[in-house]
Amino acid sequence: MIRYGIIGTGRMGKNHAGVIAEIPEAQVTAAYDIDPAALDMFCSEYQATKCSSARELAAHPEVDCVIITSPTYCHQEGLEAAVAANKPIFCEKALCRTAEAAKEITGLRKNYPKLFTVGFVRRHMPKSVLVKKLLAEGLIGQVRFCNVELPLGLFRRMPGDWFADFQLSGGVMVDMLAHHVDLANWFFGDAKTVYAQGVMLDPAQPRPADYTSAIMTYENNVICNMTCTWARSGRTGELMEIYGDKGYLAITGEDQVTYCPLEGESVKLDPETELGKKNAAVEKDLNEVNFGNSFQLEFQHLTDALNGKDAALPSLQDALNSLKISLAMIDSAKTGKVITL
Ligand SMILES: NC(=O)c1ccc[n+]([C@@H]2O[C@H](COP(=O)([O-])OP(=O)(O)OC[C@H]3O[C@@H](n4cnc5c(N)ncnc54)[C@H](O)[C@@H]3O)[C@@H](O)[C@H]2O)c1
């Protein structure tokens, strides 16, 4: 049985606790939140011990692994507590908000003997795993360019909410794009340059909204274009299209992968069938592929790793690589320059 302690009992803290409750060999035993009402409600729902600080939670003898789901700008406090207690760590993305915090976290983590993973849930999604595998097998030949669209027309945050404050959340550059920047890094390797323009949650707008258009060029010359919105109207969805010399692969929001050979017809690939042929470990998890299920996969994989089983988990370095690009987008949008990494 893996016993989890949760720092930050908001949206993601509750989501992860609900997911863990479904895993037979895992349970949430303790929680901490700066908001006493949120903490009370969470602890009575999950029969968790109430802690009065991040340090108390991390040091709690009934906590085997610390989950950090506080706002991004508070992650460092939870990470310091977990490292002081020498416990394994799951930290939500984005790792932190600033380059200074990233540097301090890197220092903290040096020679840390325990597991440290980050909430890049898309790495656990069968559709992303399938695309990673097909790219490695050379299905579409040499990749030349990639297009990511992430419109969120459902954005409704108001002033006072930390998501609506660029200094705290980093807007879509740091928050939303973290996942797809990580996927691009996973698929294409290291980025060499970043150029971006963005609204950066400009407070002069009547209501909070955000938009970014960014271009990353990778060391292997893959050009990756990303657009992302926090808009208060319009489309919501996600699409990642990858073009190679021999064809096209796309990951859509519908948990599907589309493959189109060069000058051929598009076909939908079912990740379950495709991965099931060769990957029994993933196959067993592929019952209902939806976003909720992806969190189940994420915490099943984490629980497996903590129980000594093989599981591929995104690392601190992956989180740092993704953040470095987000921060370069900010730098580029502020200066108008192409940033060389
Ligand atoms: N992986 C994903 O798909 C995904 C999705 C949404 C959010 N996130 C990330 O998860 C994290 C949390 O986001 P959320 O949507 O749950 O935010 P939220 O605002 O809903 O919840 C944050 C909670 O943390 C508490 N809190 C604030 N400061 C704290 C502190 N210093 N110590 C402990 N608790 C504190 C708040 O009271 C609140 O209950 C963020 O880093 C966010 O970027 C990840």
Side-chain angles (χ1 to χ4, degrees):
M1 180 64 74
I2 301 297
R3 300 164 302 175
Y4 290 101
I6 296 190
I7 298 175
T9 60
R11 194 168 51 130
M12 293 316 280
K14 284 187 276 196
N15 177 73
H16 297 347
V19 166
I20 289 165
E22 300 293 316
I23 300 176
E25 64 275 29
Q27 70 182 119
V28 174
T29 47
Y32 165 63
D33 197 293
I34 50 161
D35 175 348
L39 183 61
D40 274 350
M41 211 183 298
F42 180 95
C43 289
S44 57
E45 185 165 354
Y46 293 100
Q47 286 91 51
T49 301
K50 253 190 275 178
C51 295
S52 55
S53 68
R55 288 215 167 222
E56 185 189 323
L57 176 129
H60 197 287
E62 289 182 6
V63 169
D64 302 315
C65 177
V66 178
I67 293 177
I68 299 165
T69 44
S70 53
T72 302
Y73 66 95
C74 304
H75 287 175
Q76 191 177 348
E77 179 192 337
L79 289 169
E80 282 169 358
V83 168
N86 203 31
K87 299 270 173 84
I89 298 167
F90 171 97
C91 180
E92 257 311 337
K93 55 51 61 182
L95 179 68
C96 55
R97 173 60 185 85
T98 63
E100 295 70 31
K103 199 169 166 196
E104 285 173 25
I105 291 166
T106 310
L108 269 183
R109 175 63 179 80
K110 222 170 204 163
N111 302 324
Y112 190 56
K114 297 290 161 66
L115 181 152
F116 190 133
T117 189
V118 183
F120 287 134
V121 65
R122 279 165 182 73
R123 286 228 194 182
H124 300 270
M125 293 181 180
K127 57 186 179 179
S128 318
V129 175
L130 177 59
V131 166
K132 172 76 178 160
K133 175 175 169 283
L134 296 176
L135 290 174
E137 289 172 0
L139 180 70
I140 61 166
Q142 186 174 346
V143 176
R144 297 290 181 179
F145 41 94
C146 168
N147 183 47
V148 171
E149 280 183 30
L150 273 182
L152 185 69
L154 298 171
F155 187 74
R156 296 290 182 269
R157 303 280 174 172
M158 295 299 278
D161 185 321
W162 72 271
F163 276 103
D165 181 334
F166 193 75
Q167 297 313 319
L168 302 182
S169 71
V172 296
M173 288 174 173
V174 174
D175 193 84
M176 281 275 281
L177 281 170
H179 287 293
H180 283 80
V181 167
D182 173 62
L183 284 184
N185 293 346
W186 195 34
F187 296 155
F188 313 135
D190 292 330
K192 58 180 175 184
T193 60
V194 177
Y195 175 74
Q197 293 285 293
V199 170
M200 294 187 282
L201 285 166
D202 181 357
Q205 299 171 104
R207 297 241 167 131
D210 206 12
Y211 174 76
T212 291
S213 173
I215 303 173
M216 280 84 71
T217 306
Y218 281 77
E219 292 287 355
N220 56 7
N221 295 322
V222 172
I223 301 166
C224 184
N225 175 67
M226 294 192 179
T227 56
C228 184
T229 69
W230 277 347
R232 310 189 79 92
S233 58
R235 281 189 301 146
T236 291
E238 65 178 84
L239 173 68
M240 183 172 202
E241 302 174 299
I242 305 168
Y243 296 79
D245 287 345
K246 293 187 191 163
Y248 161 100
L249 279 168
I251 305 176
T252 66
E254 293 92 49
D255 297 306
Q256 270 177 332
V257 172
T258 301
Y259 164 58
C260 185
L262 214 57
E263 289 150 30
E265 298 282 313
S266 280
V267 285
K268 300 268 186 217
L269 302 181
D270 173 31
E272 180 171 2
T273 317
E274 296 297 321
L275 285 169
K277 283 180 198 160
K278 288 181 188 159
N279 192 339
V282 176
E283 189 185 26
K284 79 173 166 50
D285 293 319
L286 287 166
N287 301 321
E288 282 172 46
V289 182
N290 57 42
F291 199 63
N293 196 43
S294 303
F295 286 116
Q296 282 168 14
L297 291 176
E298 182 174 52
F299 281 95
Q300 184 65 58
H301 294 161
L302 174 58
T303 303
D304 286 350
L306 292 167
N307 274 325
K309 296 183 195 155
D310 273 352
L313 301 173
S315 67
L316 172 67
Q317 193 56 52
D318 297 323
L320 290 167
N321 293 346
S322 172
L323 182 71
K324 186 168 68 175
I325 292 176
S326 296
L327 296 178
M329 286 180 197
I330 296 175
D331 200 6
S332 176
K334 284 186 173 165
T335 61
K337 293 186 176 150
V338 175
I339 307 300
T340 301
L341 297 170

